[in-house]
Amino acid sequence: MAIEEMELLDMTFDKKYLKEVLCQLKETKYFYPQPATKIVNNVKDVFTMTPDEDYKNMLDELKELAEHVKLDTSSVKEGSIHFAKEDYRKALDDVTKEVKQYLDIKEEFVTERGQNQAAYEILEGLSNTELNMDEVKECEYMEARFGRIPRRNKDKLDYYRGQSIMFLDLGEDAKSVYCLYMTTKAAILKVDNIFQSVGFEEIEIPDFVHGRMEDAKKELLEEIESMNASIRKADSRLEGIRDAHEEELLKMFADLTFAARIEEFKVFVVDYQSKYAIYGFVPVRVAKDIKKAFEKYNVEYQDLPADIYGDQQIIAPTLTNNYPWAKPFEAISKVKQSDHVDTTLATAVLFILVFALMLGDIGLGVVLVLLGLLMRKKTSGKMINVLGIASFVGGLIYGDAFYSIHLYPSVIPVADAFSYQRFINAILLLIVGQFCIGKVKAIYNEQSMINKVFSIKGVVGIVMGLAVAAYVAIAVDTTWHVSYLPLVVVLVLGIVLNFIKKALDKKQ
C-alpha cells in the first residue's frame, strides 16, 4: 500500500464565519490544522487568536454543580454555539447561589455528624473499661486527650514507653486507632508534641456526655440520627433544585461543552485583520471533498507543497492507506513522510507467513488471540491478534496443539518430531526478511543510481547480507561442511565496491 501524498491547504475566510468554520473544522476528518504561532513570521499586524477560557471555566463550574445535585450528564448530546454567554453566566450564578445555600448547611451537618460518630467510638471503647468519663474530665493533676491516630503509626508509640504517659487503646476501624492518653499537667505539652508527630487527631467529647456511659451513648446516637435526618432534608432540597432546573442545566452543559471544544480550535487561526486563515495538511486524494465541505462559507483556497514551511518545523503527518489487518504492523515498518514506499504490507505478510507456516499451532494461536484481546486497546494487542489467527490457521494445517498433541495428520508434508529448530529458523527468517525489506526500502528512497547499486545500503549490501544469512542457516540447520571461501570473496568484493563508490562520490 502507498503513503498518502499530502499538501498544505490554506483556507482564508471572512471573519463573520469564524464560529461556523471552526464547527466544520471539528467535524472534518483528514484535515490536520497547524498552530497559527508556527505560521506567523513576526509580521507586523498579523496576529494569532487565543481561546476564550470563560467557556471552559463555566463548564468546570457546571460539572461541579452537577456533582453536588447528582445531575446525570452522561447522555447529553452535542450542543450549539448559538447562545449568549452573558445569559448562561447569570443563570449559572443564580443556580449556584441557590445550591450553595443548602450545600453549606449539609456540610455543616456532615462535619458535626462526623465529630459525633468519632465521639461515639471513644465511648464505645470506654464502655469496656472501668474509667468514668466525669472523673477523667475533672481530674485535678492530670490532663487527658481523647482522639485517634492512623493505624500505621500505632507502633511508633513503642519508642516512648519510658515517658510518663498512660495510653489506652479504645478500639479501631479500617484507618484509625481510637485512644486516650493521660499525663501530668507539667508534661502535657511535650506529650502533646509526641502524639502530634504520629498524626494524633483530638476528638472533642460533647458537653452533654456525662454520667452513665450507656445513657451518653444513647444520646449520641440520637444526635447522629438527627444529623442524618437533616442531611437527608438538605439532599432533598438539592434534588428539588436539580429537578426544577434540569432541562436548563442539561442544555447549558451541552452548549458549553461544544463551545469549549470549538474554542480550542482558535489556536489554529491566523488573524490578517481583514480576514482569518487556517492552514492544515490534507491528503491530496480527499482535498476536493474537504474544500466542498467548507464552500458555503465563501472560503478561498490555496494548495501549497507539503514541505513549504519545513524550515519552521511544520512537518506533514505520515498517513498510510493499509488494510485493517496490516495496519498494526506500521509500528514495525516505521514509515516516514519522506519515504517513497510503504513497507507495512510486506512486513505484515512476512510475519503472518512465518507464524502460520513455521510457528503454526492451534494452542499457540488460541493463547496469542486471548492475549491480544486483553491488550486490544493497544496497537501491539491488535498485532498479536493477527499473529494469533495466523498461528491458529497454521495449526489447523499441521493438526498440532502446543507442539505436542497431534490431533490429525498434517495437510502438508512436515517432520514428525517437534524441534526447537523451527523457532530458530523462524527467528532467522524474520531477521533476514526484515533486513531485505529495509534494504529494498533504502534502495527505493535513494536518488543516486550508484548508491542504489554499490552502497552497503544498496544491492551490494543485500548480496552481502544474504550470503552471511545463507552460511548461518547452513551452519545451524544442516550438517554440511562447506568452504567459507565464497563468503569471504563476496564480502571482500562488496567492501571493495563500496570503497570505489566513495571514491566516485568524492570526484563528483
Side-chain angles (χ1 to χ4, degrees), residues 187-341:
I188 188 62
L189 294 179
K190 181 179 180 181
V191 174
D192 282 345
N193 189 62
I194 289 172
F195 275 83
Q196 285 298 319
S197 69
V198 295
F200 179 80
E201 178 188 349
E202 187 171 6
I203 296 173
E204 293 290 339
I205 305 298
D207 292 335
F208 61 77
V209 175
H210 56 80
R212 292 180 67 250
M213 195 64 67
E214 293 303 318
D215 292 339
K217 287 165 58 180
K218 182 179 179 182
E219 195 167 351
L220 263 179
L221 286 176
E222 290 174 353
E223 282 291 317
I224 291 172
E225 183 52 40
S226 175
M227 296 298 106
N228 286 334
S230 298
I231 291 170
R232 288 193 295 269
K233 187 175 181 181
D235 283 335
S236 177
R237 294 292 177 87
L238 291 172
E239 290 171 5
I241 296 173
R242 176 199 65 199
D243 295 340
H245 299 279
E246 183 171 9
E247 184 176 348
E248 176 187 12
L249 292 176
L250 289 177
K251 184 179 186 308
M252 196 184 303
F253 187 90
D255 292 347
L256 288 175
T257 300
F258 188 73
R261 182 72 182 98
I262 293 301
E263 284 295 316
E264 293 175 1
F265 283 88
K266 283 186 177 180
V267 298
F268 305 118
V269 179
V270 179
D271 184 357
Y272 289 119
Q273 292 202 19
S274 60
K275 290 192 174 185
Y276 288 136
I278 295 176
Y279 295 77
F281 291 104
V282 298
V284 173
R285 67 180 178 87
V286 298
K288 288 184 179 179
D289 295 332
I290 291 176
K291 291 176 183 178
K292 187 175 180 181
F294 288 91
E295 65 181 3
K296 56 187 172 183
Y297 306 120
N298 298 327
V299 177
E300 300 170 12
Y301 302 102
Q302 185 174 6
D303 301 305
L304 301 170
D307 59 353
I308 193 169
Y309 287 108
D311 293 340
Q312 296 171 226
Q313 297 303 308
I314 300 178
I315 309 299
T318 302
L319 300 183
T320 55
N321 191 16
N322 285 305
Y323 298 115
W325 54 267
K327 204 159 187 64
F329 294 89
E330 291 175 359
I332 298 176
S333 60
K334 294 179 179 171
V335 180
K336 296 185 288 236
Q337 185 64 35
S338 57
D339 293 336
H340 295 92
V341 63

Side-chain angles (χ1 to χ4, degrees), residues 52-67:
D52 186 346
E53 293 292 327
D54 285 349
Y55 295 104
K56 182 179 180 300
N57 294 336
M58 290 169 63
L59 181 61
D60 290 340
E61 291 177 34
L62 184 52
K63 287 179 180 178
E64 185 178 357
L65 179 67
E67 186 178 346

